Amino acid sequence: MSITITAFEDSPDRGRGLARDMRVRWALEELGLAYDVRLLSFEEMKRPDYLALQPFGQIPSYVDDGLVLFESGAIVLHLAQSRTGLLPVDPNARARAVAWMFAALNTVEPPVFEWSMATVLEREKPWHADRLPMLEGRVHDRLQQLSAWLGESEWLEGAFSAADLLMVTVLSRLGNSHLLAEWANLTAYVSRGVARPAYRRAFADQLAVFEAASARKRS
Ligand code: GTB
């Protein structure tokens, strides 16, 4: 059995661990699973052979022993359900953790993503200054609610789980922004997540890919 995931050969995030292969790499590292990474150019991602794996021509995809999966959340959920260590064993506790996985991707990520895209891609638009407060307000409201839930807890639902893994990758996108800094418990939560050895290994691996691409361009 051999797992292969896909990732950018030259990530536009410049190795900051913001592309969505990061959460899959992290889950694989948490579970101690060996895996290969197939690196793709933007052009390769749109070819028919890759669209057969990932219908939208995006990274990541996941292949393991005849199973082909796409959507980073579905891949992390599959890994967490098929191995032990990333979801509680008790069915009710497991259902709660899965609810938080959906919350990370469905409720928290959309406003965070909108805000981050606006800050990167829309800075020069004449309406940027008018739109930004609205986007920041949406992120603020979600973080306020998340902060209230987390309180002084270490993780969202008891022990560290796939829900924390996804939520930390979503919040990481806020970087050092004032939006995250306002919430001391969320800042500490993200720091706890990214300090995990499995995260550090996954981060180093994706950074090495970016650095190799940069070196190739220089040579
Ligand atoms: N819902 C899908 C999933 O979770 O798997 C979304 C996958 C996705 O958006 N993949 C992006 C992609 O392949 C890369 S991660 N884009 C190429 C394309 O659509 O043609 C998103 C991303 C891109 C760039 C940065 N960045 O520069 O900081 C961060 C995150």
Side-chain angles (χ1 to χ4, degrees):
M1 194 161 72
S2 116
I3 296 172
T4 302
I5 67 168
T6 50
F8 285 126
E9 71 174 7
D10 187 7
S11 180
D13 82 337
R14 306 184 56 75
R16 287 179 297 152
L18 301 178
R20 290 195 175 98
D21 58 299
M22 180 62 202
R23 50 184 62 154
V24 175
R25 290 173 182 268
W26 185 6
L28 289 161
E29 293 288 346
E30 289 284 351
L31 295 169
L33 296 171
Y35 59 101
D36 294 317
V37 183
R38 180 180 157 206
L39 302 176
L40 298 172
S41 66
F42 276 93
E43 195 243 312
E44 287 167 330
M45 286 159 56
K46 307 303 172 199
R47 287 188 192 155
D49 64 326
Y50 187 64
L51 293 174
L53 302 185
Q54 213 293 2
F56 304 104
Q58 298 182 313
I59 59 95
S61 67
Y62 170 98
V63 179
D64 178 20
D65 205 19
L67 171 65
V68 177
L69 270 184
F70 61 101
E71 284 296 329
S72 57
I75 298 167
V76 172
L77 180 61
H78 166 71
L79 289 169
Q81 282 179 326
S82 55
R83 276 86 174 177
T84 53
L86 280 179
L87 280 174
V89 174
D90 172 75
N92 287 358
R94 178 172 282 231
R96 294 276 315 170
V98 170
W100 276 108
M101 293 177 74
F102 278 84
L105 302 185
N106 241 2
T107 304
V108 180
E109 187 162 52
V112 168
F113 185 80
E114 276 292 299
W115 171 82
S116 79
M117 292 313 276
T119 58
V120 175
L121 299 177
E122 298 171 1
R123 297 187 80 85
E124 308 306 323
K125 303 286 185 197
W127 34 261
H128 178 69
D130 290 337
R131 186 163 184 257
L132 197 59
M134 178 193 73
L135 297 178
E136 290 194 348
R138 288 181 187 159
V139 174
H140 175 273
D141 291 351
R142 284 292 173 255
L143 295 191
Q144 184 172 47
Q145 293 158 330
L146 185 62
S147 172
W149 172 267
L150 186 67
E152 297 307 311
S153 304
E154 233 186 330
W155 307 113
L156 290 169
E157 288 279 339
F160 176 83
S161 75
D164 300 296
L165 186 154
L166 291 180
M167 192 66 85
V168 167
T169 59
V170 168
L171 298 181
S172 293
R173 207 166 169 124
L174 295 166
N176 297 323
S177 74
H178 65 284
L179 288 167
L180 187 62
E182 187 178 343
W183 311 101
N185 65 341
L186 295 183
T187 307
Y189 172 67
V190 173
S191 299
R192 268 195 298 283
V194 303
R196 292 177 70 84
Y199 179 97
R200 303 309 315 161
R201 288 195 295 276
F203 186 90
D205 286 352
Q206 62 79 41
L207 180 59
V209 172
F210 175 72
E211 287 175 342
S214 303
R216 274 198 305 279
K217 280 191 240 171
R218 281 196 304 273
S219 65

